[in-house]
Amino acid sequence: MAPPAPPPSRVFAELDLAPSPASEGRVEPAALPGREVHVSGSAELSARPDRARVSLRLGSRKEAAVAARSSVSRRLQYIAHTARLHGIPEEHMTVTEDFSRVENTYQMEAEVCIIFSDFGKMQNVCNLLIEKLGTSVTINPPHFYHTPEAIDTLRRQVCVTAVGNTRRKAQEVCQLFGQALGKPLLIKEEETKEWGGHIDSHLSLSADSQTLQERIQNATAYASCRVFAVFEIKGKENRRSKLP
């Protein structure tokens, strides 16, 4: 659920529009002391998850230990081969094996976790494994999440966007009074908020019935930022058009 909308933007300007008698006929200085515009502005951005983790489970129970191991090993080799063909780095694939004795049989189980940064490639790999391995492998729904780098990028972008919005607002206020905006005197980040999204975690609260797009939407991260800024007000805006 999105947070409540930020309060209306505040604009405070100190304008001295009437020139003093002593300044008539003189070149107006670039900026006069005490002439400032105070503005607050905000921005809100979102970022889709940049990673997906897919877990595959497979197992075999045989009377002979070698047969149980061999059955699982062949499928693991095929999964690894398929991942390599699709350009998945080896460090993005983790295999966990468990071998046990169950009554008079031997049971071999394995779990493969693959991390994808390309969701289209993820779908291709999963579809191919289902087609070739059938019911001998169980593929769990993907878990989408953000890397810390992606969250940091979102935080920087929303702050920079809020500052840009604030500057444009100050510029429009100055233009309204025929003034020119000067350099910033103060830029203050007043409030930041973040909601939604999943950080890297093995736990997923998503329902199995959700579609791929619904999972991506639920994992989307949002951030908002409100800033306060003070700018100088220069002399009157030069509206004379340049000669060709």
Side-chain angles (χ1 to χ4, degrees):
M1 179 177 179
S9 299
R10 306 188 305 272
V11 178
F12 304 96
E14 298 178 8
L15 302 174
D16 184 9
L17 302 180
S20 63
S23 65
E24 293 182 356
R26 298 182 182 180
V27 178
E28 192 172 5
L32 299 178
R35 290 161 52 87
E36 301 173 349
V37 57
H38 297 202
V39 186
S40 69
S42 62
E44 179 180 312
L45 296 178
S46 63
R48 289 159 62 94
D50 61 326
R51 293 291 187 275
R53 180 187 294 105
V54 176
S55 174
L56 305 91
R57 296 179 180 273
L58 54 154
S60 177
R61 181 184 294 187
K62 304 286 184 180
E63 293 183 358
V66 174
R69 288 182 181 275
S70 177
S71 175
V72 172
S73 178
R74 286 194 304 269
R75 282 173 282 168
L76 287 177
Q77 290 175 1
Y78 182 78
I79 293 172
H81 175 70
T82 302
R84 285 194 299 268
L85 286 180
H86 286 79
I88 307 300
E90 290 187 7
E91 59 269 22
H92 286 182
M93 187 172 66
T94 304
V95 179
T96 304
E97 298 180 0
D98 180 61
F99 185 71
S100 61
R101 182 75 180 268
V102 180
E103 297 179 349
N104 295 326
T105 62
Y106 294 91
Q107 180 170 291
M108 180 71 179
E109 294 182 326
E111 180 183 16
V112 182
C113 289
I114 306 177
I115 296 176
F116 295 89
S117 57
D118 185 327
F119 299 159
K121 185 179 296 184
M122 174 195 70
Q123 288 182 284
N124 291 337
V125 170
C126 292
N127 291 342
L128 182 59
L129 293 177
I130 291 174
E131 178 184 349
K132 298 299 182 180
L133 299 179
T135 58
S136 67
V137 62
T138 300
I139 302 179
N140 294 322
H143 169 60
F144 295 98
Y145 64 96
H146 294 81
T147 58
E149 294 78 11
I151 295 297
D152 287 341
T153 298
L154 175 62
R155 291 167 178 163
R156 291 195 303 269
Q157 288 178 342
V158 74
C159 179
V160 171
T161 302
V163 172
N165 291 342
T166 304
R167 183 185 182 281
R168 283 190 290 272
K169 185 179 298 182
Q171 195 168 33
E172 291 176 3
V173 170
C174 289
Q175 291 174 350
L176 182 65
F177 294 99
Q179 306 292 296
L181 185 67
K183 64 183 180 181
L185 302 177
L186 171 69
I187 298 177
K188 179 182 178 183
E189 190 177 57
E190 290 191 321
E191 182 183 61
T192 59
K193 291 183 179 180
E194 298 176 17
W195 66 98
H198 299 150
I199 305 299
D200 186 1
S201 172
H202 289 275
L203 299 178
S204 175
L205 301 180
S206 301
D208 292 341
S209 60
Q210 289 181 335
T211 66
L212 193 68
Q213 290 303 320
E214 287 173 339
R215 289 175 177 276
I216 293 176
Q217 182 61 42
N218 288 340
T220 297
Y222 298 85
S224 66
C225 178
R226 187 173 72 244
V227 300
F228 174 77
V230 178
F231 295 90
E232 281 186 340
I233 298 178
K234 287 185 176 180
K236 290 192 175 182
E237 189 177 24
N238 184 8
R239 296 182 178 273
R240 291 180 301 176
S241 59
K242 295 183 179 180
L243 295 177

